[in-house]
Amino acid sequence: MHMFDLTIGGQPILIHVPHAGQQLPDTITPDRFADPTAVDHLYRNIRDMHADTIGSELADRLDASMMLNHMSRIWVDVERYPDDREEMNRVGMGVIYTHDMNGRPLYQPGREPDGRERGQRLNRLYRPWHATFTNTIRMMLDIHDRATIIDLHTYPKTPLPFERHRDEPRPQIILGVNNDEPSRRLAILLHKRLHDASLTVGVNTAYKGSITPNLPPDPRFDAIMLEIRQDTAGDRILRQRIIDTTVRTLMEAGR
């Protein structure tokens, strides 16, 4: 099974799309689940709808590289920590989900992924994904002496039951930014340009921060999470406005 794609562009920009996938391996059969209807609801609602389409256009317009995950988050969530650092472990939705979005067990008793299966899943997707991610940024730094990560997601207008920050504002766009100065500078510029385009924008509200590679801190790379609310992402005119503004802003910033 082909689990993810990396397409290489000419510019030192990586469009990172981890949650748009819909595939499940044959080992995940309905008879393993406690409530197949609830699993189907989770499967349909957990995906970052439109993120693959938006990511592809951004990559094309920017001559950027793109990582696109084809696998559903139900199987492995590549943006969770695989250990006790992960806050979503508390609701059974860490790197490998054990519960549905309402907090009910995902699997029938005795059919949960055991240690061996968890290790297999991590070896098949999680570790290759992160190795590819880190190596791609390392390559950009070696060749171009700089790199920019756009961590692309979409999110629902109404909070899902499992969300940890359900009371935070949910504007049309959330920019997730870490504490490093290069990323903060890029976020400030992108926030202004999106706001000037008549879009509502928040910073680190319902979703926070951006993924970064497994490398020492380096002022040569910056990272922004671009979270687009799904009703906005699904609107053709608004979606194009976001893409156009993001492209212009990255070019203005010399990315």
Side-chain angles (χ1 to χ4, degrees), residues 43-110:
Y43 172 81
R44 287 184 286 104
N45 284 277
I46 205 73
R47 176 177 177 253
D48 285 2
M49 292 184 292
H50 311 293
D52 47 354
T53 301
I54 295 169
S56 293
E57 183 164 351
L58 282 172
D60 183 63
R61 297 264 306 270
L62 291 163
D63 192 18
S65 300
M66 182 169 76
M67 284 185 69
L68 177 63
N69 185 13
H70 300 302
M71 303 302 293
S72 171
R73 297 167 68 183
I74 293 177
W75 190 61
V76 173
D77 193 326
V78 295
E79 272 208 340
R80 301 282 199 250
Y81 289 115
D83 51 38
D84 292 340
R85 291 174 294 172
E86 180 53 60
E87 67 173 354
M88 295 302 291
N89 288 340
R90 287 176 278 177
V91 294
M93 300 183 74
V95 64
I96 293 176
Y97 294 1
T98 59
H99 289 69
D100 66 22
M101 63 176 60
N102 292 302
R104 296 178 298 229
L106 198 59
Y107 294 92
Q108 291 193 35

